[in-house]
């Protein structure tokens, strides 16, 4: 009998599955705890959830039976004003993830090169594999800074088309140094800076203003973290304006739902409120850093994002993760070389951070 599976492209058959986090209801069933008692610090979501203004905007007249605006005109208009750039430079998407995938499909033929600097966000390597790109891997140094000499050497040797860099980087929260960024912008490739967490680093760190006047810089943004809309799926990119018509051709016409466009508009009409929440998260991040530093078996790294990465000493990190999980506290462990003795903790609400710290302190010495 003919099986559909036999016709799947071999490189996709060979791919390991992406390991997404489990949804609330599944987790609460697994742990036997009510969803309200879970402390979810594993996916860098915004602990405040959406603004009340977002929810109100969704109950006002919304045409759910009509396809959304393929050009997300209202969102782009507000984004152009927010960034003081032209609407023609902006493409709105179903999260930053959609643009990572779209860019790879637009730029990469099978066999084309993509430069990646792990440890970093897993979707760059994942989407590269989907596109049958050749991944040129230049690991970061032990302090997570970029190995610029190796990057420049590799670019000269293999001429990759694309380079993706998260700034701040996930999972450690470090920023690219300004001098490294200047050097990266001179490379003969398309540099995609993923600024998913830039709000927590300070707007002066953003490269959005540098996109105009250059032909090779792209900046990705999302409403998932700052905007509290991870479940809605809305993000955007800032591009050299000549590239935007091509992206508009290649993207799915109705990629951003009516609900997502409404929610993004409400965020952009209330940026001051989002910034206040962001300030609280930054404040709590700094206090959590000190508290984690006082735990002798943890070594936290300073972060410019809404999470803190910690090295776990004297005991296996997966065991710590599991002990927290049994108490309904979820943190992220990375089962990969160089990170397997680390945990990443998202900055939750104060009560959640208090529960986490009590649980960690309760684990005592080994
Ligand atoms: N970029 C980075 C660096 C991320 O960590 C994430 C989310 N984990 C994303 C992009 C994805 O953002 P979105 O929810 O907008 O797809």
């Amino acid at each position: 009998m003919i099986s559909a599976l036999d016709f799947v492209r071999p490189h996709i058959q060979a791919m390991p599955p992406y390991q997404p986090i489990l949804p609330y209801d599944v987790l609460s069933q697994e742990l036997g705890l009510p969803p309200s008692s879970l402390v979810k610090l594993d996916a860098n979501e915004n602990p405040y959830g959406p603004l009340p203004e977002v929810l109100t905007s969704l109950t006002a007249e919304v045409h759910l039976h009509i396809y959304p605006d393929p050009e997300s005109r209202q969102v782009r208009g507000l984004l152009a004003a927010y960034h003081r750039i032209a609407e023609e430079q902006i493409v709105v998407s179903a999260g930053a993830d959609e643009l990572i995938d779209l860019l790879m499909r637009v730029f990469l033929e099978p066999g084309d090169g993509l430069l990646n600097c792990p440890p970093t966000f897993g979707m760059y390597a994942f989407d590269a594999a989907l596109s049958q790109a050749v991944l040129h891997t230049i690991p970061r140094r032990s302090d997570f800074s970029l190995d610029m000499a190796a990057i420049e050497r590799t670019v000269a040797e293999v001429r990759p088309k694309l380079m993706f860099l998260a700034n701040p980087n996930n999972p450690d929260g470090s920023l690219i140094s300004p001098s490294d960024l200047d050097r990266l912008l001179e490379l003969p490739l398309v540099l995609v800076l993923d600024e998913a967490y830039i709000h927590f680093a300070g707007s002066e760190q953003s490269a959005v203003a540098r996109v105009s006047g250059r032909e090779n810089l792209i900046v990705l943004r999302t409403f998932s973290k700052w905007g509290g809309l991870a479940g809605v799926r809305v993000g955007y990119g800032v591009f050299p304006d000549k590239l935007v018509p091509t992206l508009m051709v290649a993207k799915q016409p109705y990629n951003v739902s009516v609900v997502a466009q409404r929610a993004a508009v409400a965020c952009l009409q209330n940026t001051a409120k989002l910034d206040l929440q962001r300030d609280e998260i930054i404040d709590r991040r700094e206090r959590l850093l000190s508290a984690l530093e006082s735990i002798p078996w943890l070594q936290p790294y300073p972060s410019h994002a809404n999470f803190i990465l910690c090295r776990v000493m004297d005991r296996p990190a997966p065991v710590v993760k599991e002990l927290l999980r049994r108490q309904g506290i979820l943190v992220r462990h990375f089962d990969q070389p160089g990170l397997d003795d680390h945990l990443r903790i998202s900055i939750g609400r104060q009560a959640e951070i208090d529960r986490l710290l009590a649980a960690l302190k309760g684990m005592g010495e080994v």
Side-chain angles (χ1 to χ4, degrees), residues 45-46 49-50 94-95 222-225 227-234 257 259-260 263:
E45 289 129 338
N46 185 324
T222 178
F223 287 91
S224 294
K225 322 292 176 183
L229 297 181
V232 176
R233 311 305 301 130
V234 57
S257 75
V259 169

Side-chain angles (χ1 to χ4, degrees), residues 150-271:
I151 289 171
E152 286 169 344
R153 207 170 43 243
T154 306
V155 170
E157 276 166 20
V158 301
R159 296 301 292 255
K161 279 186 168 175
L162 281 180
M163 175 172 192
F164 277 77
L165 277 177
N167 195 38
N169 191 39
N170 176 6
D172 59 291
S174 67
L175 280 169
I176 302 170
S177 80
S179 60
D180 283 355
L181 184 55
D182 288 342
R183 279 167 75 178
L184 291 166
L185 285 169
E186 295 309 314
L187 296 174
L189 46 65
V190 178
L191 177 65
V192 185
L193 283 182
D194 179 345
E195 294 191 349
Y197 300 102
I198 199 76
H199 293 93
F200 307 100
S203 53
E204 72 285 357
Q205 301 291 344
S206 173
V208 163
R210 301 181 77 170
V211 176
S212 311
R214 304 199 70 88
E215 298 291 331
N216 70 332
L217 174 63
I218 291 170
V219 175
L220 304 184
R221 290 284 191 106
T222 178
F223 287 91
S224 294
K225 322 292 176 183
W226 171 70
L229 297 181
V232 176
R233 311 305 301 130
V234 57
Y236 60 99
V238 180
F239 301 90
D241 47 12
K242 282 189 203 140
L243 189 62
V244 168
T246 307
L247 297 173
M248 287 301 207
V249 168
K251 82 171 181 67
Q252 296 289 323
Y254 305 121
N255 58 330
V256 190
S257 75
V258 169
V259 169
Q261 293 192 32
R262 265 294 168 95
V265 165
C267 283
L268 291 166
Q269 288 168 337
N270 293 280
T271 55

